[in-house]
Amino acid sequence: MDEAPKTLIELRQVAKSYSGVEVLHDVDLMLRDGEFMTVLGPSGSGKTTILRIIGGLVRPTSGAVLLDGTDISAMPINRRPFNTVFQDYALFPHMTVEANVGYGLKVRGEQKARIRERVIETLRLVALEEYAARYPSQLSGGQQQRVALARALICEPRLILLDEPLGALDAELRRQMQRFLKRLQKEIRTTFLFVTHDQEEAVTIADRICVMNNGQIEQIGSPEEVYYRPANEYVARFFGDNNLIDIAIGSLGNGYREVTSKLGTFRCAIGNRPGLAEVTAGRPGKLLVRPEAIAIGSAGDGAQNRLRVRVEDMSFVGPVSQVLARPLAEPERALMIKLASRASGIPLAVGDEAEVGFSAEECHVVTT
């Protein structure tokens, strides 16, 4: 039986204030050895403050940072076995790629032959061994980012901190770098802590996601957990186009819970919401249904939950077509539906009425 990963970094009741304004509120966070964790949140949520406190760039106002169970809160940055990769790369423009990557080992006083050997090994790891003699200005943005990553890796840190490192790249290059980072992290098994405000990026690369809001952690979980089973309304809204419907918790059935709303009564599978069976009947909440879980017309036959809608708008977005619909039972409400695009188009037009359906397994309930 495989042993559970040990805890590498732990934050215990960490808080940070600037001029009396608290920007991080008693945060508890554990980072496992060898995992890829993403800290996700909007600007001002506290995600970069967490990274800077772990890296030693900022001292917490209160609380403790532990490495392998030992408090390192007061440890200077140069003694922490971590390295940081920033969005702006921070490469030395007058140095070649080889000199940039080997700089840390040179500062340590390593012998030239050993530095050369390690630089070539590390450049090979990031697929840049042929670029050793070039200067940063002769590289693309993605190549420069890989040089910055190689420079962080060469000293074999316990943890790599990545502060929105892909923010300056165009969309396609960003996707390529996401795949590269994920593959590299699995290959070298070094712990990565990646800060981003991009939900799609977080879901794509992370083993676990820590969702931040106003200096507090809203949820920590796998990408699937955070996406399909958000802990609260904030997380559900932050992850985009969730349809959120006001409900009251109803009766308990065999493996499901009924919920009532202005749109009617729906069934929600208990397995998607631990503890839903124990919730007191009549308690208010939100029913969450993702746009891609809603089927139109005969495609929704057999779904436990059905309602009629009128199509208000349609837009083609490459492989997905977005349909904005208004339920006939509550026309002031908008429902977002996402369907796989077809070359023959979708057999609907603006103004059409249609029946839509979604299964009890596709429902998620957040109590309020």
Side-chain angles (χ1 to χ4, degrees):
M1 182 181 294
D2 293 337
E3 293 184 5
K6 69 175 184 178
T7 299
L8 177 68
I9 296 291
E10 183 178 358
L11 303 187
R12 291 183 182 172
Q13 293 290 288
V14 168
K16 180 62 184 177
S17 298
Y18 292 100
S19 302
V21 178
E22 195 172 36
V23 296
L24 211 58
H25 314 291
D26 297 332
V27 166
D28 292 312
L29 177 65
M30 289 191 297
L31 183 59
R32 300 166 183 160
D33 192 24
E35 80 169 325
F36 197 137
M37 174 178 274
T38 293
V39 182
L40 172 69
S43 297
S45 62
K47 58 186 187 297
T48 298
T49 302
I50 284 179
L51 180 142
R52 292 171 66 85
I53 286 174
I54 292 174
L57 296 166
V58 169
R59 288 281 296 273
T61 304
S62 61
V65 181
L66 280 69
L67 169 64
D68 295 328
T70 300
D71 191 341
I72 62 166
S73 304
M75 181 182 288
I77 185 173
N78 62 318
R79 290 184 55 206
R80 301 190 186 201
F82 314 146
N83 269 331
T84 304
V85 179
F86 298 100
Q87 181 176 334
D88 62 0
Y89 316 139
L91 300 177
F92 298 114
H94 62 286
M95 291 185 182
T96 64
V97 167
E98 180 177 349
N100 266 284
V101 174
Y103 182 77
L105 296 181
K106 182 180 179 181
V107 171
R108 284 185 180 182
E110 296 275 358
Q111 294 184 354
K112 287 185 178 180
R114 176 57 178 163
I115 294 174
R116 170 71 177 172
E117 178 184 347
R118 289 287 292 122
V119 167
I120 296 304
E121 288 175 0
T122 309
L123 286 177
R124 187 174 296 118
L125 196 63
V126 298
L128 285 176
E129 62 268 32
E130 297 179 3
Y131 296 81
R134 295 194 184 183
Y135 289 87
S137 61
Q138 298 172 309
L139 304 176
S140 68
Q143 289 167 340
Q144 290 183 55
Q145 190 59 271
R146 280 185 282 158
V147 172
L149 185 60
R151 185 175 60 185
L153 289 170
I154 197 167
C155 294
E156 299 180 325
R158 300 282 306 281
L159 170 65
I160 298 289
L161 301 164
L162 300 111
D163 188 9
E164 304 212 39
L166 310 183
L169 305 180
D170 62 60
E172 179 55 33
L173 186 54
R174 188 167 183 158
R175 283 190 289 270
Q176 291 176 14
M177 282 298 297
Q178 289 167 6
R179 293 191 292 269
F180 172 79
L181 280 174
K182 188 176 182 71
R183 186 172 63 250
L184 176 67
Q185 193 272 336
K186 295 304 178 189
E187 180 180 344
I188 64 177
R189 304 181 69 83
T190 299
T191 308
F192 279 23
L193 183 69
F194 186 104
V195 165
T196 183
H197 64 273
D198 188 304
Q199 300 95 324
E200 182 179 344
E201 185 166 82
V203 169
T204 299
I205 63 177
D207 296 322
R208 287 195 302 153
I209 298 172
C210 171
V211 183
M212 298 290 299
N213 177 38
N214 289 330
Q216 296 177 314
I217 295 175
E218 296 285 349
Q219 184 174 1
I220 300 175
S222 69
E224 292 80 7
E225 288 170 339
V226 174
Y227 187 83
Y228 288 113
R229 297 184 293 281
N232 52 42
E233 185 177 349
Y234 173 81
V235 179
R237 291 190 182 280
F238 189 66
F239 270 84
D241 298 323
N242 261 315
N243 292 296
L244 295 166
I245 302 168
D246 293 317
I247 57 165
I249 307 298
S251 61
L252 182 65
N254 184 18
Y256 66 86
R257 194 77 188 251
E258 286 191 344
V259 298
T260 59
S261 73
K262 291 182 180 180
L263 300 181
T265 299
F266 302 114
R267 288 184 176 184
C268 299
I270 292 173
N272 287 346
R273 171 68 156 81
L276 182 58
E278 287 74 40
V279 176
T280 304
R283 184 172 176 178
K286 298 280 185 180
L287 174 66
L288 282 59
V289 185
R290 294 211 64 87
E292 61 271 21
I294 303 176
I296 291 182
S298 60
D301 288 351
Q304 297 95 327
N305 303 309
R306 306 183 68 79
L307 65 155
R308 291 196 65 79
V309 300
R310 178 175 286 107
V311 176
E312 181 173 290
D313 188 38
M314 298 177 62
S315 55
F316 173 76
V317 192
V320 173
S321 289
Q322 296 181 350
V323 178
L324 184 67
R326 300 277 181 182
L328 300 188
E330 193 183 0
E332 63 271 24
R333 172 174 297 282
L335 287 180
M336 176 63 72
I337 305 169
K338 292 183 179 180
L339 308 171
S341 299
R342 299 285 187 270
S344 57
I346 296 173
L348 282 176
V350 173
D352 284 354
E353 288 188 14
E355 189 170 50
V356 302
F358 52 93
S359 72
E361 286 70 27
E362 297 288 359
C363 295
H364 182 69
V365 173
V366 172
T367 51
T368 56

